[in-house]
Coordinates of all heavy atoms in Angstrom, one line a residue:
D97 N -2.4 4.7 -3.1 CA -3.5 3.8 -2.7 C -4.3 4.4 -1.6 O -5.5 3.9 -1.3 CB -2.9 2.5 -2.1 CG -2.1 1.7 -3.2 OD1 -2.8 1.4 -4.3 OD2 -1.0 1.3 -3.0
A98 N -3.8 5.4 -0.9 CA -4.6 6.0 0.2 C -3.9 7.3 0.6 O -2.7 7.6 0.3 CB -4.6 5.1 1.4
I99 N -4.6 8.2 1.3 CA -4.1 9.4 1.8 C -4.4 9.6 3.3 O -5.5 9.3 3.7 CB -4.7 10.6 1.0 CG1 -4.3 10.5 -0.5 CG2 -4.2 12.0 1.6 CD1 -4.9 11.6 -1.4
A100 N -3.4 10.0 4.0 CA -3.5 10.2 5.5 C -3.2 11.7 5.7 O -2.2 12.2 5.2 CB -2.6 9.4 6.3
F101 N -4.0 12.4 6.5 CA -3.8 13.8 6.8 C -4.0 14.0 8.3 O -4.6 13.2 9.0 CB -4.8 14.7 6.0 CG -6.3 14.3 6.3 CD1 -7.0 14.9 7.3 CD2 -6.9 13.5 5.4 CE1 -8.3 14.6 7.6 CE2 -8.3 13.1 5.6 CZ -9.0 13.7 6.7
T102 N -3.4 15.0 8.8 CA -3.5 15.3 10.2 C -4.9 15.9 10.5 O -5.3 17.0 10.0 CB -2.5 16.3 10.7 OG1 -1.2 15.8 10.4 CG2 -2.5 16.5 12.2
R103 N -5.7 15.2 11.3 CA -7.0 15.6 11.7 C -7.0 16.5 12.9 O -7.8 17.3 13.2 CB -7.9 14.4 12.0 CG -9.2 14.7 12.5 CD -10.1 13.4 12.8 NE -11.1 13.6 13.8 CZ -11.8 12.6 14.3 NH1 -11.7 11.4 13.8 NH2 -12.7 12.9 15.2
G104 N -6.0 16.3 13.8 CA -5.9 17.1 15.0 C -4.9 16.4 15.9 O -4.4 15.3 15.6
P105 N -4.6 17.0 17.1 CA -4.9 18.4 17.4 C -4.0 19.4 16.7 O -3.0 19.0 16.1 CB -4.6 18.4 19.0 CG -3.6 17.3 19.2 CD -3.9 16.3 18.1
G106 N -4.4 20.6 16.8 CA -3.7 21.7 16.1 C -4.5 22.9 15.9 O -5.6 23.1 16.5
L107 N -4.0 23.8 15.0 CA -4.8 25.0 14.7 C -5.9 24.7 13.7 O -5.6 24.1 12.7 CB -3.8 26.1 14.1 CG -2.6 26.5 15.0 CD1 -1.7 27.4 14.2 CD2 -3.1 27.1 16.3
M108 N -7.1 25.2 14.0 CA -8.2 24.8 13.2 C -8.0 25.1 11.7 O -8.2 24.2 10.8 CB -9.5 25.5 13.7 CG -10.7 25.3 12.8 SD -11.2 23.5 12.7 CE -12.3 23.4 14.0
G109 N -7.6 26.3 11.4 CA -7.4 26.7 10.0 C -6.3 25.9 9.3 O -6.5 25.4 8.1
A110 N -5.2 25.6 10.0 CA -4.1 24.9 9.4 C -4.6 23.4 9.2 O -4.3 22.8 8.1 CB -2.9 24.9 10.4
L111 N -5.3 22.8 10.2 CA -5.8 21.5 10.0 C -6.7 21.4 8.8 O -6.7 20.4 8.1 CB -6.5 21.0 11.3 CG -5.6 20.8 12.6 CD1 -6.5 20.7 13.8 CD2 -4.7 19.6 12.4
M112 N -7.6 22.4 8.7 CA -8.6 22.3 7.7 C -8.0 22.3 6.3 O -8.5 21.6 5.4 CB -9.6 23.5 7.8 CG -10.8 23.4 6.9 SD -11.8 21.9 7.2 CE -12.6 22.4 8.7
T113 N -6.9 23.1 6.1 CA -6.3 23.1 4.8 C -5.8 21.7 4.3 O -6.0 21.3 3.2 CB -5.1 24.1 4.7 OG1 -4.1 23.8 5.7 CG2 -5.6 25.6 5.0
G114 N -5.1 21.1 5.2 CA -4.6 19.7 4.9 C -5.7 18.7 4.8 O -5.6 17.9 3.9
A115 N -6.7 18.8 5.6 CA -7.8 17.9 5.6 C -8.6 18.0 4.3 O -9.0 17.0 3.6 CB -8.7 18.0 6.8
L116 N -8.9 19.2 3.9 CA -9.7 19.4 2.7 C -8.9 19.0 1.4 O -9.4 18.4 0.5 CB -10.0 20.9 2.6 CG -11.2 21.4 3.5 CD1 -11.3 22.9 3.4 CD2 -12.5 20.8 3.0
F117 N -7.6 19.3 1.4 CA -6.8 19.0 0.3 C -6.7 17.4 0.2 O -6.8 16.9 -0.9 CB -5.4 19.6 0.5 CG -4.4 19.3 -0.7 CD1 -4.4 20.1 -1.8 CD2 -3.6 18.2 -0.6 CE1 -3.5 19.8 -2.9 CE2 -2.7 17.9 -1.7 CZ -2.7 18.7 -2.8
G118 N -6.4 16.8 1.3 CA -6.2 15.3 1.3 C -7.5 14.6 1.0 O -7.5 13.7 0.2
R119 N -8.6 15.0 1.6 CA -9.9 14.3 1.3 C -10.4 14.6 -0.1 O -10.9 13.7 -0.8 CB -11.0 14.8 2.3 CG -12.2 13.9 2.3 CD -11.8 12.5 2.8 NE -12.8 11.5 2.6 CZ -12.9 10.8 1.5 NH1 -12.1 11.1 0.4 NH2 -13.7 9.8 1.3
T120 N -10.2 15.8 -0.7 CA -10.6 16.1 -2.0 C -9.7 15.3 -3.0 O -10.3 14.7 -4.0 CB -10.4 17.6 -2.3 OG1 -11.2 18.3 -1.4 CG2 -10.8 17.9 -3.7
L121 N -8.4 15.2 -2.8 CA -7.6 14.4 -3.7 C -7.9 12.9 -3.6 O -8.0 12.3 -4.7 CB -6.1 14.6 -3.3 CG -5.0 13.9 -4.2 CD1 -5.2 14.3 -5.6 CD2 -3.6 14.2 -3.6
A122 N -8.2 12.5 -2.5 CA -8.6 11.1 -2.3 C -9.9 10.8 -3.1 O -10.1 9.7 -3.7 CB -8.7 10.7 -0.8
F123 N -10.9 11.7 -3.0 CA -12.1 11.5 -3.7 C -11.9 11.5 -5.2 O -12.5 10.7 -5.9 CB -13.1 12.7 -3.3 CG -14.4 12.7 -4.0 CD1 -15.4 11.8 -3.6 CD2 -14.6 13.6 -5.0 CE1 -16.6 11.7 -4.3 CE2 -15.8 13.5 -5.7 CZ -16.8 12.6 -5.4
A124 N -11.0 12.4 -5.6 CA -10.8 12.5 -7.1 C -10.1 11.2 -7.6 O -10.4 10.8 -8.7 CB -9.9 13.7 -7.4
L125 N -9.3 10.6 -6.8 CA -8.6 9.4 -7.2 C -9.3 8.1 -6.8 O -8.9 7.0 -7.1 CB -7.2 9.4 -6.5 CG -6.2 10.5 -6.9 CD1 -5.0 10.4 -6.0 CD2 -5.8 10.4 -8.4
D126 N -10.5 8.3 -6.1 CA -11.3 7.2 -5.7 C -10.5 6.2 -4.8 O -10.5 5.0 -5.0 CB -11.9 6.4 -6.9 CG -13.0 5.5 -6.5 OD1 -13.6 5.7 -5.4 OD2 -13.2 4.5 -7.2
I127 N -9.8 6.8 -3.8 CA -9.0 6.0 -2.9 C -9.4 6.4 -1.4 O -9.9 7.5 -1.2 CB -7.5 6.1 -3.1 CG1 -7.1 7.6 -2.9 CG2 -7.1 5.6 -4.4 CD1 -5.6 7.8 -3.1
P128 N -9.2 5.6 -0.5 CA -9.5 5.9 0.9 C -8.7 7.0 1.5 O -7.5 7.2 1.1 CB -9.4 4.6 1.7 CG -8.4 3.8 0.9 CD -8.6 4.2 -0.5
A129 N -9.2 7.7 2.5 CA -8.5 8.8 3.2 C -8.8 8.6 4.7 O -9.8 8.1 5.1 CB -8.9 10.2 2.7
I130 N -7.8 9.0 5.5 CA -8.0 8.9 6.9 C -7.4 10.0 7.7 O -6.2 10.5 7.3 CB -7.5 7.5 7.5 CG1 -7.9 7.3 8.9 CG2 -6.0 7.4 7.3 CD1 -7.7 5.9 9.4
G131 N -8.1 10.6 8.7 CA -7.5 11.6 9.5 C -6.7 11.0 10.6 O -7.2 10.1 11.3
V132 N -5.5 11.5 10.8 CA -4.6 10.9 11.8 C -4.4 11.8 13.0 O -4.4 13.1 12.8 CB -3.2 10.6 11.1 CG1 -2.2 10.2 12.2 CG2 -3.4 9.5 10.1
H133 N -4.2 11.3 14.2 CA -3.9 12.0 15.4 C -2.4 12.5 15.3 O -1.5 11.6 15.2 CB -4.2 11.2 16.6 CG -4.2 12.0 17.9 ND1 -3.0 12.6 18.4 CD2 -5.2 12.3 18.8 CE1 -3.4 13.2 19.6 NE2 -4.7 13.1 19.8
H134 N -2.2 13.8 15.4 CA -0.9 14.3 15.3 C 0.1 13.7 16.3 O 1.2 13.3 15.9 CB -0.9 15.8 15.5 CG 0.4 16.5 15.5 ND1 1.1 16.8 14.3 CD2 1.2 17.0 16.5 CE1 2.2 17.4 14.6 NE2 2.3 17.6 15.9
M135 N -0.3 13.5 17.5 CA 0.6 13.0 18.6 C 0.8 11.5 18.4 O 1.8 10.9 18.8 CB 0.1 13.3 20.0 CG 0.1 14.8 20.2 SD 1.7 15.7 19.8 CE 2.8 14.9 21.0
E136 N -0.2 10.8 17.9 CA 0.0 9.4 17.6 C 1.1 9.2 16.5 O 1.9 8.3 16.5 CB -1.3 8.7 17.1 CG -1.1 7.2 16.9 CD -2.3 6.4 16.5 OE1 -3.2 7.0 15.7 OE2 -2.5 5.3 17.0
G137 N 1.1 10.2 15.5 CA 2.1 10.2 14.5 C 3.5 10.3 15.2 O 4.4 9.6 14.8
H138 N 3.6 11.3 16.1 CA 4.9 11.4 16.8 C 5.3 10.2 17.6 O 6.4 9.7 17.6 CB 4.8 12.6 17.8 CG 5.1 14.0 17.2 ND1 6.3 14.2 16.5 CD2 4.4 15.1 17.2 CE1 6.2 15.5 16.1 NE2 5.1 16.0 16.5
L139 N 4.3 9.6 18.3 CA 4.6 8.4 19.1 C 5.1 7.2 18.2 O 5.9 6.5 18.7 CB 3.3 8.0 19.9 CG 3.4 6.9 20.8 CD1 2.4 7.1 22.0 CD2 3.0 5.5 20.2
L140 N 4.5 7.1 17.0 CA 4.9 6.0 16.2 C 6.1 6.3 15.3 O 6.6 5.4 14.7 CB 3.7 5.6 15.3 CG 2.4 5.1 16.0 CD1 1.3 4.8 15.0 CD2 2.7 3.9 16.9
A141 N 6.5 7.5 15.2 CA 7.7 7.9 14.3 C 8.9 7.1 14.6 O 9.6 6.7 13.7 CB 8.0 9.4 14.4
P142 N 9.3 6.8 15.9 CA 10.5 5.9 16.1 C 10.4 4.5 15.5 O 11.4 3.9 15.3 CB 10.6 5.9 17.6 CG 9.9 7.1 18.1 CD 8.8 7.3 17.1
L143 N 9.2 4.1 15.2 CA 9.0 2.8 14.6 C 9.5 2.8 13.1 O 9.6 1.7 12.5 CB 7.5 2.3 14.6 CG 7.1 1.6 15.9 CD1 7.2 2.5 17.1 CD2 5.7 1.1 15.8
L144 N 9.8 3.9 12.6 CA 10.3 4.0 11.2 C 11.8 3.9 11.2 O 12.4 3.8 10.1 CB 9.9 5.4 10.6 CG 8.5 5.5 10.1 CD1 8.2 7.0 9.9 CD2 8.3 4.7 8.8
S145 N 12.5 3.8 12.4 CA 13.9 3.7 12.4 C 14.4 2.3 12.1 O 13.6 1.4 12.0 CB 14.4 4.1 13.8 OG 13.9 3.2 14.8
E146 N 15.7 2.2 11.9 CA 16.2 0.9 11.5 C 16.1 -0.2 12.6 O 16.0 -1.4 12.4 CB 17.7 1.0 11.1 CG 17.9 1.8 9.8 CD 19.4 1.9 9.4 OE1 20.2 1.3 10.2 OE2 19.7 2.5 8.4

Side-chain angles (χ1 to χ4, degrees):
D97 295 309
I99 296 176
F101 56 87
T102 304
R103 172 180 157 187
L107 303 175
M108 174 61 89
L111 292 169
M112 188 60 74
T113 58
L116 284 171
F117 183 87
R119 194 65 195 83
T120 302
L121 181 58
F123 177 75
L125 296 173
D126 193 25
I127 57 178
I130 189 164
V132 171
H133 193 291
H134 177 76
M135 296 310 294
E136 183 175 41
H138 275 305
L139 184 147
L140 298 178
L143 273 64
L144 283 165
S145 63
E146 293 182 1

